[in-house]
Amino acid sequence: MSVTERVADAEGDPDATLVERARGGDSEALTDLYRRHERRAYNLALRTLGDPWDAADVAQEAFIKAFRNLDSFKGEARFGTWFHRIVVNAAYDHLRRQRPEPMDSEILDDLSSPSGPAAVVATGRDGIDPAMDGLSDPLRDALMSLNEGFRFAVVLCDLLGFPYGEAAEILGVQEGTIKSRIFRAREALAAALVEAGYELPGAGTPDARNPGHDDGVT
Amino acid sequence: MFRGKNKNGRDAVPKTELTGHMDEWMALAVDYLDGRLDPQTKAAVERHLDGCSACAARMQAQQGALALLQAIPLEAAPDGLEDRVLDEVLFPTTPPRTIASRNADEASGWSTLWRRRIKPWVPATIAVVAVFVALVSYGVYYSTASDSADSEITTTAMASAEPAPEADGTHARGEENLTAGEAYGPAEGAGGQGLAATETTTAAAETTAAPAATTAAADVTTTTAGATTTAAGSVSTGVDTVGAAATGNGPGATGPIETTQDRKTMIADLKDSEEPVCFLLESAGSEEGAAKTAAANAAAGQLTELTGLRPLDESLSPDEPLFAAYVPRDNATQLVDLLRSIAASLGLSVGLSTQPHALLNELITKLTTARAELPELSAARAPQPAVAGWAFTTSTSAVPGDAIGSGDTQPPAGAATHVLVVIWVRD
């Protein structure tokens, strides 16, 4: 996938055609668009929010918002950039709302309506095993201990492989800011992990190991 | 970066020495780890690291953290996320109402070329059909041999030689003739020759379409010879219910019909299935019998309204509305979405069954036998102004004739572009 995308990158936005078709009412194109971005969007939310349920909610919200507003995507940025900005905003909003638990009244309302329990289950909590988010506790804790701005930067660049320039666009900051943020974030992560008794991987030779720094999509 | 980082206000001249410690050149450190520095600057960084253990340790920490982060695997998004997103976007809260009104003033929608009910087979039809029952009973395949196409034409013509029992049927045939003529050029059976002539046109259309269909077959998944009742292997795409059915219910089981309800899986199954597939629209909840029946009838009504497809004759259907049509595999997404939208609007559930089941097997065998009578149901996309107004506006498309046919005594090498779909509205 990434090979074709890199090729397409050279000529512009690989998603442009899909967006065009989706706007024209092509549900298959919309599905393709979804599938191309599902994994990264979900993981962006997962690693910045730290919770698979919240991540699914946020990814769902972002996708729906983006797809309903495809017309407002003007093609000034790449679709992926535009879309992930929506994901980031949804994640920020979620963090601001900080609702660890559904409100009691909501649950009661849901349960008293005929399709209540099914509705609760259907909106985002099925298919997720919260114990299986793939990170060891110290690593997740360390990541979540970072200040939001740093966490978003490091997740976008180091974890998801977005180029610095695109991450800067997504977060609305300068590229230099992205670099200093990920520098600080890595340093803080390393310190937190060492403190937690975690052994960092040994040194190797510096190289272009960061997978996404020259192409956007992994 | 290097240039911009020059804090002394000096010009952007490549430097050979760095000023200060790592905090002064964080961006350089980041680029260094990425291997993106020019040789001179890289050498400058390395000289500093050699002489400064504090910075060297920090660089090591940077590298360790980076390696750790990059090693974090991307998790798969939860099952069902795609469904929730696309359901919400494609048919939010006002499903077929908009579709229906849009549909009403265009002769569009999921359209059936042959809008007639299936008649109970009369013996004469059966006699001819029986010639190739054995050939088609396991699925829908291409005809690769021209003589089999001939036999099919004969069959169609024979079947149509039966008197049309209702005015309704005659009307439908008129439409057919028109459509076939448009799609395939001059109709031979123009005027005055009665029903048999009309059917000749249809048969000609089938013949015309056959070569194209055969070509298309090359692109489709190859089936091994003797792949008859093994569809389960190709369609169980990891959904639990499907797996359970495969192990729990052998062919011919009479227990509850296991279905897949996940949109993604349904589409994939529809695209890939070598066997006829059955959609079940069922009442999902706790309603009483009367409400259930009402919902089922409403669903059947919508289906007819949106597609032109009519319920099958009672002799085939188990007292509940039953539809059958050949659907191009390319239209799998559209069909699944259409059914989901209808179901969503009526509080029904949609499931797809590809599992052997006594009820379905019997039904499908009957349908397959009568496959020449079955319509094609296809979607064509009409431009929509915006995604918000998403709807299934479609137009009549031509039947690819023999694409749905079967041919040889040997199982053919390619699966068809079309799949036989049964839609069963249960109450």
Side-chain angles (χ1 to χ4, degrees):
Chain A
M1 186 211 254
S2 62
V3 172
T4 42
E5 276 168 10
R6 274 171 218 178
V7 171
D9 278 357
E11 292 154 15
D13 189 348
D15 291 321
T17 317
L18 288 176
V19 171
E20 214 39 59
R21 283 171 52 204
R23 275 179 181 158
D26 184 339
S27 62
E28 207 140 24
L30 195 75
T31 307
D32 286 351
L33 210 50
Y34 173 86
R35 290 182 185 168
R36 280 173 52 82
H37 294 281
E38 176 194 59
R39 190 169 264 236
R40 288 209 304 174
Y42 173 69
N43 279 272
L44 172 56
L46 177 63
R47 299 310 178 204
T48 53
L49 302 176
D51 177 273
W53 289 340
D54 293 346
D57 282 350
V58 162
Q60 176 178 347
E61 181 188 331
F63 268 116
I64 290 171
K65 187 169 184 190
F67 286 168
R68 284 191 179 154
N69 293 286
L70 271 188
D71 279 349
S72 66
F73 169 62
K74 304 294 184 204
E76 286 151 1
R78 288 157 47 116
F79 173 79
T81 310
W82 178 79
F83 169 63
H84 280 90
R85 204 178 309 156
I86 296 177
V87 180
V88 163
N89 286 336
Y92 268 124
D93 284 348
H94 187 91
L95 287 170
R96 268 179 229 122
R97 285 198 301 268
Q98 278 297 357
R99 285 195 308 183
E101 303 290 329
M103 311 290 275
D104 286 355
S105 60
E106 269 178 40
I107 291 180
L108 290 177
D109 286 350
D110 276 329
L111 292 177
S112 59
S113 78
S115 59
V120 172
V121 171
T123 46
R125 304 274 136 142
D126 51 336
I128 306 171
D129 181 351
M132 296 287 290
D133 80 342
L135 284 196
S136 63
D137 286 344
L139 186 50
R140 189 194 312 102
D141 291 348
L143 206 48
M144 293 310 292
S145 73
L146 297 175
N147 173 297
E148 284 170 20
F150 294 88
R151 186 160 76 241
F152 277 84
V154 86
V155 166
L156 279 171
C157 295
D158 288 351
L159 212 147
L160 298 175
F162 278 91
Y164 301 135
E166 191 171 0
E169 262 191 87
I170 290 172
L171 295 178
V173 298
Q174 297 295 313
E175 190 171 328
T177 308
I178 289 289
K179 287 185 185 175
S180 60
R181 279 190 189 177
I182 63 176
F183 180 90
R184 296 286 187 207
R186 289 172 189 164
E187 194 152 68
L189 265 180
L193 288 171
V194 167
E195 195 166 313
Y198 207 90
E199 202 167 320
L200 287 178
T205 38
D207 57 16
R209 68 183 61 202
N210 200 338
H213 287 187
D214 288 311
D215 59 86
V217 185
T218 49
Chain B
M1 226 23 66
F2 176 74
R3 295 168 171 83
K5 205 63 192 169
N6 189 331
K7 288 193 168 178
N8 300 330
R10 270 187 239 142
D11 223 321
V13 178
K15 299 175 74 173
T16 50
E17 294 305 326
L18 298 169
T19 318
H21 290 282
M22 208 175 258
D23 288 315
E24 305 287 317
W25 36 272
M26 284 184 291
L28 281 192
V30 168
D31 286 338
Y32 173 77
L33 275 185
D34 292 340
R36 293 149 64 97
L37 291 180
D38 63 84
Q40 260 188 316
T41 316
K42 184 182 171 204
V45 170
E46 279 168 352
R47 266 197 306 281
H48 181 89
L49 295 180
D50 283 345
C52 176
S53 59
C55 283
R58 290 177 74 184
M59 187 63 92
Q60 191 125 338
Q62 286 283 313
Q63 198 164 355
L66 174 60
L68 212 54
L69 288 165
Q70 289 178 342
I72 295 176
L74 293 192
E75 295 295 310
D79 292 341
L81 183 60
E82 175 175 328
D83 280 1
R84 291 198 295 275
V85 167
L86 294 179
D87 277 356
E88 185 63 30
V89 175
L90 294 177
F91 18 87
T93 40
T94 56
R97 201 170 50 77
T98 35
I99 299 170
S101 57
R102 195 188 298 274
N103 195 45
D105 48 30
E106 302 170 30
S108 64
W110 283 68
S111 58
T112 60
L113 189 53
W114 291 310
R115 300 180 181 221
R116 70 177 158 220
R117 293 163 64 111
I118 294 198
K119 308 297 170 226
W121 338 124
V122 289
T125 311
I126 291 178
V128 183
V129 169
V131 173
F132 58 90
V133 165
L135 315 181
V136 298
S137 53
Y138 291 122
V140 184
Y141 295 110
Y142 278 114
S143 166
T144 48
S146 59
D147 58 337
S148 65
D150 291 344
S151 74
E152 187 184 351
I153 293 166
T154 312
T155 307
T156 312
M158 291 281 290
S160 67
E162 296 300 321
E166 339 173 340
D168 185 37
T170 313
H171 170 67
R173 283 163 197 237
E175 286 180 27
E176 254 161 57
N177 190 16
L178 181 64
T179 313
E182 284 171 352
Y184 296 107
E188 296 168 15
Q193 294 180 36
L195 290 169
T198 304
E199 283 301 314
T200 308
T201 307
T202 308
E206 290 177 354
T207 313
T208 319
T214 310
T215 313
D219 298 329
V220 182
T221 320
T222 313
T223 59
T224 53
T228 52
T229 55
T230 56
S234 66
V235 297
S236 56
T237 52
V239 169
D240 288 342
T241 52
V242 174
T247 52
N249 299 329
T254 51
I257 301 174
E258 300 288 348
T259 61
T260 296
Q261 305 205 346
D262 167 68
R263 174 177 179 273
K264 194 193 264 187
T265 313
M266 285 199 279
I267 293 171
D269 283 359
L270 194 53
K271 282 193 165 148
D272 299 338
S273 178
E274 293 165 15
E275 309 279 327
V277 299
C278 184
F279 282 100
L280 299 173
L281 268 71
E282 294 179 282
S283 174
S286 50
E287 289 120 41
E288 299 301 315
K292 280 184 170 184
T293 307
N297 287 339
Q302 282 196 6
L303 203 56
T304 297
E305 185 182 356
L306 296 175
T307 65
L309 208 59
R310 297 186 191 182
L312 297 182
D313 190 89
E314 299 76 18
S315 69
L316 280 176
S317 108
D319 272 354
E320 289 159 323
L322 189 71
F323 301 83
Y326 286 97
V327 175
R329 293 177 192 276
D330 287 349
N331 291 166
T333 308
Q334 290 86 338
L335 177 63
V336 169
D337 285 346
L338 175 77
L339 294 177
R340 288 174 74 89
S341 78
I342 291 174
S345 72
L346 296 168
L348 300 174
S349 72
V350 191
L352 182 151
S353 168
T354 45
Q355 291 302 304
H357 188 281
L359 270 178
L360 299 181
N361 285 354
E362 190 188 346
L363 195 65
I364 284 169
T365 305
K366 282 187 196 168
L367 288 174
T368 315
T369 309
R371 107 243 174 293
E373 303 261 344
L374 296 179
E376 187 205 35
L377 181 58
S378 64
R381 186 162 62 84
Q384 294 291 316
V387 173
W390 209 282
F392 298 92
T393 308
T394 54
S395 62
T396 308
S397 71
V399 168
D402 208 43
I404 61 176
S406 173
D408 235 309
T409 46
Q410 299 297 318
T417 50
H418 286 57
V419 58
L420 176 57
V421 171
V422 178
I423 303 164
W424 186 357
V425 185
R426 308 182 78 189
D427 53 33

